Amino acid sequence: MTVKTLEVNARSYRWMSRPVVVVCVDGCEPAYLDAAIAAGVAPYIERMRKTGADLLADCVVPSFTNPNNLSIVTGAPPAVHGICGNYFFDRELGQEVMMNDPKYLRAGTVLAAFADAGAKLAVVTAKDKLRKLLGHRMKGICFSSEKADQATVEENGIDGVVEMVGMPVPSVYSAELSEFVFAAGVKLMASRRPDLMYLSTTDYVQHKAAPGSPAANAFYAMMDGYLSQLDAMGATIVLTADHGMNDKHDAQGAPKVIYLQDVLDGWYGKDEARVILPITDPYVVHHGALGSFATVYAPDEARVPGWIDRIKGIPGMELVLSRKEAADRFELPPDRIGDIVVVSEQSTVIGTSASRHDLSALEVPLRSHGGVSEQRVPLICNRPVAGIAPGRRLRNFDALDLALNHAQ
């Protein structure tokens, strides 16, 4: 019997022989799983790693939510799908804009391709900012925890979500926003049995709680129970992350920030440079729009080499690259990044101007992401995998390849 395959973005995927669930755990530094297992609160994830596939992968840099979720569902880097941040400077419009509109997508998703071919699809994401991108041109169920009470058959492929899940709509700043995703996934598997399901959480907990802390272990214990239920229903599960997470503060708990717009204004005059922070989104309470990746727009190309040399001298900078260097190294669309790309080292973040960042809502020392230091993420499967070439560099956006082509 020939196995049906689909080709999407120059990659081939086999038709699923059993339900497939891909889970993107936002901010899941590998140490979170290690600590939860060591504490004895994640027995299913421990079994998954022992009897299935326990791998590590690299996420996309910038290690932010939107670029990585879109890479996972397209099976391709941002150079292909076009989403290279949550936020960018649209040179054509001359405006800074959110990149959460499907019009910015340059490639179709694997999810939409399978739905078009007749598969039953379901997508549940924590925040609504991702929903339209993940569900772009996809026939099936697609809703967010954040707006679960507003889901309609016409817009989301389903209604009565809150009643189905049996949980009230959670606060966007809560662990429950992610729990709703898992609870909905279990209910959908039991009632609709989708062929392919994608679940994407929020990193609210990871921004506040380090690996092994009581809050972190409680979160992974919760997740463990729902994953076990999906396994019991016969699903192939692949779990990965959009990015890791690190402390971004000094020994006293004060954020370590390079306010790059202030620095450049001091060097070259006010607003000669434009610093863009691609981490920026509508939900900045837990990170104050501070991450370890930024892009800089210069008034003209001639100034770029000199600016790069000078920015490299700023303490806490790990990489300072030209547009071409960054696009090549990180597989980014060159027309959607600045003239200069800057990446700070593990314990440091980049801001614009000190006056533009409100850190008053930070209840705990800053933890964030965005750099190369948050690139390593888990890639685990509840079944053994075969046929992966030795020495292959695994990426988080190989999750669907792992689930459909290599899981046994």
Side-chain angles (χ1 to χ4, degrees), residues 105-249:
L105 257 179
R106 292 173 169 167
T109 70
V110 179
L111 311 178
F114 270 93
D116 285 344
K120 288 165 61 178
L121 268 287
V123 173
V124 187
T125 183
K127 294 175 183 174
D128 208 59
K129 71 171 184 179
L130 258 177
R131 176 185 60 85
K132 286 185 177 177
L133 286 167
L134 294 175
H136 184 50
R137 295 183 176 166
M138 188 199 89
K139 297 192 287 276
I141 293 168
C142 184
F143 63 88
S144 69
S145 302
E146 182 186 1
K147 297 191 175 175
D149 57 339
Q150 299 171 37
T152 65
V153 173
E154 182 181 56
E155 174 76 11
N156 308 94
I158 191 171
D159 58 11
V161 169
V162 173
E163 294 76 15
M164 175 189 78
V165 176
M167 282 176 68
V169 175
S171 161
V172 77
Y173 296 113
S174 70
E176 287 74 26
L177 196 74
S178 292
E179 180 171 3
F180 196 101
V181 172
F182 290 114
V186 167
K187 294 287 188 180
L188 286 169
M189 187 57 70
S191 61
R192 308 285 183 107
R193 200 160 179 84
D195 299 307
L196 180 56
M197 183 157 63
Y198 184 71
L199 305 177
S200 178
T201 71
T202 171
D203 56 3
Y204 172 79
V205 168
Q206 290 80 0
H207 270 288
K208 295 172 79 71
S213 63
N217 281 349
F219 180 87
Y220 285 91
M222 171 275 292
M223 188 172 89
D224 194 79
Y226 288 110
L227 293 175
S228 177
Q229 291 179 64
L230 289 168
D231 180 284
M233 287 186 267
T236 293
I237 303 168
V238 170
L239 181 151
T240 190
D242 53 353
H243 55 76
M245 188 76 69
N246 275 304
D247 289 339
K248 305 289 185 180
H249 56 80

Side-chain angles (χ1 to χ4, degrees), residues 231-294:
D231 180 284
M233 287 186 267
T236 293
I237 303 168
V238 170
L239 181 151
T240 190
D242 53 353
H243 55 76
M245 188 76 69
N246 275 304
D247 289 339
K248 305 289 185 180
H249 56 80
D250 62 20
Q252 286 71 48
K256 290 177 69 175
V257 189
I258 300 165
Y259 288 110
L260 189 57
Q261 187 72 58
D262 287 343
V263 172
L264 295 173
D265 284 355
W267 288 350
Y268 303 117
K270 186 163 172 54
D271 297 331
E272 277 290 286
R274 181 192 292 266
V275 177
I276 297 289
L277 307 177
I279 194 173
T280 306
D281 69 11
Y283 317 89
V284 298
V285 166
H286 46 292
H287 54 62
L290 294 169
S292 291
F293 183 102

Side-chain angles (χ1 to χ4, degrees), residues 34-112:
D34 298 340
I37 289 167
V41 300
Y44 174 70
I45 294 172
E46 181 177 23
R47 179 157 60 90
M48 221 177 146
R49 286 171 61 169
K50 281 182 176 171
T51 63
D54 181 15
L55 304 168
L56 289 169
D58 287 335
C59 76
V60 163
V61 174
S63 47
F64 295 139
T65 295
N66 285 16
N68 278 282
N69 272 273
L70 270 298
S71 288
I72 294 167
V73 300
T74 59
V80 174
H81 62 70
I83 306 299
C84 56
N86 302 336
Y87 189 74
F88 83 120
F89 179 59
D90 189 324
R91 275 188 149 137
E92 287 182 22
L93 295 176
Q95 291 178 346
E96 299 176 19
V97 293
M98 291 292 298
M99 211 187 296
N100 57 2
D101 190 306
K103 71 182 181 184
Y104 294 115
L105 257 179
R106 292 173 169 167
T109 70
V110 179
L111 311 178

